[in-house]
């Protein structure tokens, strides 16, 4: 099952971005570890990494503009 951004209650904020080329980066627990999760503009998780800097690199490698989500 793919975890959607709506699972952590920020999906309603996405409607204000209006940019399908955005990637949202958020630190959260995934698979029992505290990781940086990367979501596309639809709210679908596309990757997880232990490095915030690398999360931004991954987003850019996927032609997405990274944005930090708190």
């Amino acid at each position: 099952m793919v975890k959607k951004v709506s699972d952590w209650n920020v999906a309603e904020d996405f409607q204000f971005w209006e940019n399908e080329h955005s990637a949202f980066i958020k630190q959260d627990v995934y698979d029992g570890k505290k990781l940086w999760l990367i979501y596309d503009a639809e709210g679908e998780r596309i990757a997880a990494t232990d490095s915030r800097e690398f999360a931004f690199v991954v987003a850019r490698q996927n032609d997405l503009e990274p944005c930090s989500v708190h």
Side-chain angles (χ1 to χ4, degrees), residues 2 4 12 14 16-17 23 27-28 36 40-42 60 68:
V2 174
K4 296 284 189 171
E12 59 274 2
F14 283 16
F16 300 109
W17 290 89
Q27 190 175 41
D28 206 349
W36 291 95
D40 66 13
E42 300 281 317
R60 289 186 181 108
S68 189

Side-chain angles (χ1 to χ4, degrees), residues 5-24:
V5 172
S6 59
D7 292 346
W8 37 272
N9 299 320
V10 295
E12 59 274 2
D13 294 337
F14 283 16
Q15 64 185 329
F16 300 109
W17 290 89
E18 297 180 6
N19 185 349
E20 63 191 47
H21 300 289
S22 293
F24 301 92

Side-chain angles (χ1 to χ4, degrees), residues 21 38 46-47 57-65:
H21 300 289
I38 306 146
I46 58 175
V57 169
V58 169
R60 289 186 181 108
Q61 286 177 339
N62 285 282
D63 298 321
L64 299 170
E65 183 60 37

